[in-house]
């Protein structure tokens, strides 16, 4: 029997989208029963997931991105800095819910890794910072670019840790990341998905479902920390654009990041 490679992706925040999708599916099936999860079971699941993330965060602050349940099967090296930031967000939520020294130390390491290895300025824009996807981190040969979602979730991650340990991240660093998100927005409220270093410019040849919601969430959290109108206005335009594009649609993609931003 052919062995199946099982990949465990640690993008825990995506669970929100999975639950929303499952709920919609049940409604479409016409089922009237309600699915419930008792509190002890939920607490145990959160504790186990948090413990896994802590164990998979190495001394440098980098997570073990892929794991095969069969240790004899080699796993191709790969990484995703966008999901690294999302994992910090998830682990920080767990830390606020149930503080623990091991979780806090893992958060510090993970934030340190992202700031050292991925956050940097834009060419010709010294007042802006972005979270860069680099081949030496990703483990694949690709162009160096700054993804909108990476910077959006990077801002979410840093602000999440800042809530736990005030003074960890300077306000100017947070603002510089926010300026990049503002810079990436178009007049209609949509965004460029990437800034391509080789092309030295914003690139919309590819678009992401989740990046606008991630950017909006980061800007809203920044507004709570630093109540400048530009952060709130940019996020509002982003959410309004998504609402216009989806108005009247028979089916809407399960965009949990937009839901989280809208709720906030």
């Amino acid at each position: 029997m052919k062995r199946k490679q099982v990949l465990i992706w640690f993008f825990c925040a995506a669970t929100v989208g999975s639950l929303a999708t499952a709920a919609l599916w049940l409604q479409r099936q016409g089922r009237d029963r309600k699915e419930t999860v008792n509190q002890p079971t939920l607490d145990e699941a959160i504790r186990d997931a948090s413990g896994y993330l802590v164990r998979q965060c190495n001394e440098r602050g980098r997570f073990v991105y892929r794991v095969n349940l069969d240790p004899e099967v080699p796993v191709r090296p790969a990484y995703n800095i966008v999901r690294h930031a999302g994992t910090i967000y998830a682990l920080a939520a767990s830390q606020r819910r149930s503080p623990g020294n091991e979780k806090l130390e893992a958060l510090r390491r993970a934030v340190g890794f992202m700031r050292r290895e991925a956050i940097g300025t834009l060419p010709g824009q010294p007042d802006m910072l972005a979270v860069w996807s680099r081949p030496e981190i990703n483990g694949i040969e690709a162009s160096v670019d700054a993804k909108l979602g990476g910077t959006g979730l990077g801002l979410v991650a840093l602000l999440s840790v800042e809530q736990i340990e005030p003074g960890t991240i300077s306000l100017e660093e947070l603002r510089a990341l926010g300026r990049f998100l503002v810079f990436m927005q178009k007049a209609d409220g949509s965004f460029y998905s990437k800034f391509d270093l080789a092309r030295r410019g914003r690139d919309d040849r590819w678009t992401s479902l989740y990046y606008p919601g991630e950017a909006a969430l980061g800007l809203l959290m920044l507004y709570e920390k630093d109540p400048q109108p530009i952060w709130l206005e940019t996020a509002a335009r982003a959410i309004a654009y998504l609402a216009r594009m989806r108005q009247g649609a028979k089916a809407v993609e399960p965009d949990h990041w937009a839901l989280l931003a809208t709720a906030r």
Side-chain angles (χ1 to χ4, degrees):
M1 182 176 182
K2 186 178 180 180
R3 289 184 300 185
K4 293 183 179 179
Q5 182 171 341
V6 181
L7 302 181
I8 299 177
W9 303 87
F10 57 68
F11 194 18
C12 291
T15 304
V16 178
S18 300
L19 291 173
T21 305
L24 289 173
W25 183 83
L26 287 172
Q27 289 175 6
R28 290 169 184 166
Q29 296 300 310
R31 299 184 182 182
D32 57 5
R33 63 188 177 90
K34 294 183 178 180
E35 298 291 337
T36 60
V37 177
N38 62 54
Q39 193 64 46
T41 300
L42 182 61
D43 291 341
E44 183 180 7
I46 293 172
R47 184 170 57 252
D48 289 348
S50 302
Y52 176 82
L53 295 179
V54 169
R55 292 191 300 275
Q56 301 308 308
C57 184
N58 68 20
E59 293 181 358
R60 294 178 58 216
R62 176 173 170 143
F63 293 95
V64 176
Y65 188 65
R66 288 176 169 175
V67 175
N68 194 295
L69 298 185
D70 184 346
E72 295 184 3
V73 177
V75 177
R76 181 175 64 86
Y79 209 69
N80 186 308
I81 198 64
V82 182
R83 290 173 177 161
H84 178 100
T87 302
I88 293 173
Y89 172 53
L91 194 56
S94 174
Q95 174 68 5
R96 288 194 302 274
R97 187 176 189 273
S98 177
N101 289 335
E102 290 186 347
K103 279 188 286 188
L104 182 58
E105 289 299 325
L107 283 168
R108 290 169 177 166
R109 295 195 303 274
V111 166
F113 177 86
M114 184 172 68
R115 295 175 77 191
R116 286 192 315 272
E117 306 292 339
I119 294 181
T121 57
L122 262 69
Q125 303 284 355
D127 65 334
M128 295 184 193
L129 288 173
V131 175
W132 293 91
S133 294
R134 309 181 192 276
E136 58 267 30
I137 297 176
N138 295 343
I140 58 175
E141 291 297 328
S143 61
V144 178
D145 54 41
K147 296 181 175 67
L148 176 76
T151 302
L153 283 187
L155 191 54
V156 168
L158 294 180
L159 284 161
S160 296
V161 173
E162 178 67 14
Q163 290 171 1
I164 295 169
E165 291 193 306
T168 301
I169 315 297
S170 73
L171 184 56
E172 186 51 41
E173 181 176 347
L174 298 171
R175 286 172 173 166
L177 291 164
R179 292 186 197 110
F180 173 77
L181 299 178
V182 174
F183 170 69
M184 295 291 281
Q185 190 173 53
K186 300 180 182 180
D188 63 358
S190 64
F191 289 96
Y192 295 90
S193 285
K194 296 180 180 180
F195 184 96
D196 190 301
L197 184 60
R199 300 166 69 92
R200 298 181 69 85
R202 294 170 289 188
D203 187 353
D204 61 358
R205 292 175 296 172
W206 172 82
T207 58
S208 166
L209 168 63
Y210 301 121
Y211 286 1
E214 292 166 346
L217 181 60
L219 287 165
L220 289 167
M221 292 178 67
L222 179 57
Y223 178 74
E224 294 169 1
K225 174 78 173 177
D226 179 42
Q228 296 188 34
I230 187 62
W231 313 136
L232 181 60
E233 291 166 0
T234 304
R237 284 196 297 269
I239 296 300
Y241 174 82
L242 294 176
R244 289 197 305 273
M245 293 301 100
R246 293 164 178 174
Q247 187 174 11
K250 293 183 178 179
V252 176
E253 308 93 335
D255 185 356
H256 53 280
W257 291 110
L259 292 175
L260 289 168
T262 302
R264 196 155 199 133

